Amino acid sequence: MANAPASFSMKKQFSRPLFFLVLAVGATSRYDLTIVARIPLSEIIAFCSIPWLYRGLNLSVFGKRMIPVILGLVLWALGVAVSDFMVGNRMDLFIRGLMKPVFIGLWAIFICGVIVKDYRALLMLPIGSVFAVLQNYFIPQGWTIEKVQSGGYESLAYGIGPIITAIFSCTAVFIYRKSKLISAGCLLASAVVMGVIGAPRSASAILILSASVIIYMWWTQELGRRAVRLTFKNLAVLSVFVAVTLTATFYTYLFTAEMGLLGARQQQKLVEQSDSIFGKTPLGLVLEGRPQVFGAVLAIIDKPITGYGSWTAWQMTDYFYEATKIVGTDAALLNKLVQSGAPAGVGHSVILTTWLENSILAMLGLLIVGFCCVRAVLATLERDSVLAPYIILLAVSLGWKFFFSPFNVPTR
């Protein structure tokens, strides 16, 4: 760190405007405005602040490291253009498809500007997220109003669950330097609370996996190391550690859900989602509850190169029902779709939806961006940054969304 830029010095005085800016960005991440499409106020604040952030900034600090990110986003944008041109897609859908890589690029520029000025300002994001989820619960916006006020499972998933996660995660970030074990304990406690109240299982799994990585970092320090050295041996040990954690978490869930310890809702859900061709396996439970993912695979097999065009996945009803016929699916999910009148499309996966809509070029571009994310996480582990628990939690969450959740505003 001796040769690090002055902006990375821990002794540097706080830049109050920068810290308030990042706090405002985090706090307004769930306050939506409709400008052509649904855009959170946080993006408007962040992107409008870019000229101020880069005033007098030395771009050589990170310029070369941005090249792979730019390459990935350019490939993605090119894939959008190629797919929409080939299918003759509507101009408004093309623009909305193009906004995905464009907005991600703007976020990358904003975050890099904050890092070079004072990376500690990013600690304001978890604080801001607490304000954001409280606003989302008490003053919901747009389509979340019905979800939050439903009083059932969706209220837990979209309202109460995010509040619990944000508060415990924020505590974990700020206690990390004092004690890694207590920091991991905060995430584990959040996972337990989420499980007890019957919140989404994926949220608990993400918290448990994030905690396991922090425990691994604590363990390496107990062996006398100051940080994790990313040798092949250490990465192999970490992989085994994560795999054991996931396996133990899965079988613990099966036992507690079958015994009714997680409530009647989770017990019923397990029964409904255990009759697919894969049975009571992680893949079986995922595909039983998310046949859209397998439907996306079927769509890609039929048209793997050019794609179907931006924002078309939600219309692919034929592939959805073909997937349910092959895999089997939760009857409650089908009933819900029929009652709502919503189209039964495919996707529910960032990487698969990008591929089936915007061609193999867009998929390759997204993989490059994903590879850059992995490198950033590994660097965080190696340097044991003060931001480590927050970045680990974001990375694990993004990893889940990458394969099993739709592309939404938080994903950007």
Side-chain angles (χ1 to χ4, degrees):
M1 292 294 291
N3 298 322
S7 58
F8 286 82
S9 171
M10 287 299 290
K11 295 181 180 180
K12 183 179 178 182
Q13 293 296 316
F14 290 112
S15 170
R16 289 184 179 178
L18 180 64
F19 277 67
F20 280 118
L21 168 64
V22 179
L23 178 62
V25 168
T28 57
S29 59
R30 291 175 180 256
Y31 190 86
D32 298 334
L33 300 174
T34 302
I35 305 174
V36 181
R38 190 170 62 93
I39 300 175
L41 180 57
S42 59
E43 292 189 326
I44 297 174
I45 295 174
F47 301 161
C48 289
S49 69
I50 288 175
W52 173 76
L53 277 176
Y54 281 77
R55 189 174 56 194
L57 207 60
N58 181 11
L59 301 183
S60 64
V61 174
F62 63 89
K64 291 182 179 179
R65 298 183 183 182
M66 283 290 288
I67 292 176
V69 180
I70 294 171
L71 174 62
L73 294 175
V74 168
L75 267 180
W76 188 346
L78 183 60
V80 173
V82 168
S83 64
D84 284 4
F85 174 77
M86 293 289 290
V87 302
N89 206 4
R90 287 165 27 198
M91 180 59 66
D92 62 319
L93 296 181
F94 164 68
I95 293 174
R96 291 181 66 187
L98 193 62
M99 287 302 100
K100 291 180 181 179
V102 169
F103 273 49
I104 290 174
L106 290 171
W107 270 119
I109 293 170
F110 171 77
I111 294 295
C112 282
V114 173
I115 289 173
V116 176
K117 275 189 175 293
D118 191 340
Y119 73 96
R120 297 169 299 176
L122 293 179
L123 289 170
M124 296 296 102
L125 286 177
I127 296 177
S129 69
V130 175
F131 290 101
V133 294
L134 290 173
Q135 170 263 303
N136 180 68
Y137 185 75
F138 292 106
I139 316 174
Q141 300 287 307
W143 61 273
T144 59
I145 295 176
E146 182 180 348
K147 304 285 187 183
V148 170
Q149 296 178 351
S150 66
Y153 172 76
E154 291 182 333
S155 178
L156 293 173
Y158 292 90
I160 297 174
I163 294 175
I164 294 171
T165 301
I167 292 174
F168 277 93
S169 300
C170 186
T171 305
V173 169
F174 284 91
I175 209 167
Y176 178 78
R177 281 301 190 192
K178 297 290 184 181
S179 171
K180 286 183 172 62
L181 277 183
I182 297 178
S183 177
C186 288
L187 298 182
L188 290 174
S190 179
V192 171
V193 173
M194 294 281 278
V196 169
I197 67 173
R201 299 166 300 185
S202 59
S204 293
I206 288 168
L207 290 163
I208 292 171
L209 183 54
S210 301
S212 73
V213 176
I214 294 175
I215 291 172
Y216 174 78
M217 295 178 70
W218 166 83
W219 178 62
T220 59
Q221 285 193 341
E222 288 296 299
L223 294 178
R225 303 168 187 164
R226 295 187 63 184
V228 180
R229 293 195 175 277
L230 297 179
T231 62
F232 178 81
K233 176 183 176 181
N234 286 343
L235 285 176
V237 172
L238 176 60
S239 299
V240 171
F241 192 78
V242 168
V244 170
T245 300
L246 287 174
T247 303
T249 300
F250 175 71
Y251 284 105
T252 300
Y253 162 73
L254 284 185
F255 174 76
T256 54
E258 286 180 335
M259 296 294 292
L261 299 177
L262 299 180
R265 165 69 184 178
Q266 288 295 350
Q267 187 177 34
Q268 179 187 3
K269 198 169 184 179
L270 177 62
V271 172
E272 291 172 342
Q273 296 183 355
S274 298
D275 59 353
S276 73
I277 60 174
F278 299 103
K280 290 182 181 179
T281 64
L283 183 61
L285 295 185
V286 169
L287 293 184
E288 180 78 4
R290 287 176 167 82
Q292 299 95 330
V293 174
F294 190 65
V297 173
L298 297 177
I300 290 170
I301 291 174
D302 285 349
K303 201 172 183 181
I305 305 299
T306 59
Y308 297 84
S310 299
W311 296 92
T312 55
W314 64 277
Q315 299 174 324
M316 298 182 182
T317 304
D318 291 347
Y319 286 109
F320 173 84
Y321 285 109
E322 185 178 351
T324 63
K325 188 184 300 182
I326 295 173
V327 178
T329 191
D330 179 2
L333 174 63
L334 293 176
N335 289 334
K336 180 181 176 182
L337 285 170
V338 171
Q339 291 172 5
S340 67
V346 299
H348 228 292
S349 165
V350 171
I351 184 68
L352 294 179
T353 303
T354 300
W355 189 354
L356 76 89
E357 287 189 343
N358 295 130
S359 82
I360 196 169
L361 280 179
M363 184 272 292
L364 292 174
L366 183 55
L367 285 180
I368 293 174
V369 174
F371 176 73
C372 293
C373 292
V374 171
R375 287 185 59 191
V377 174
L378 294 178
T380 300
L381 297 181
E382 194 166 43
R383 297 175 185 177
D384 196 14
S385 164
V386 67
L387 292 165
Y390 186 58
I391 292 177
I392 290 168
L393 187 59
L394 287 178
V396 175
S397 177
L398 180 60
W400 171 261
K401 292 178 179 179
F402 206 73
F403 296 103
F404 300 117
S405 280
F407 191 102
N408 54 15
V409 172
T411 310
R412 294 204 283 259

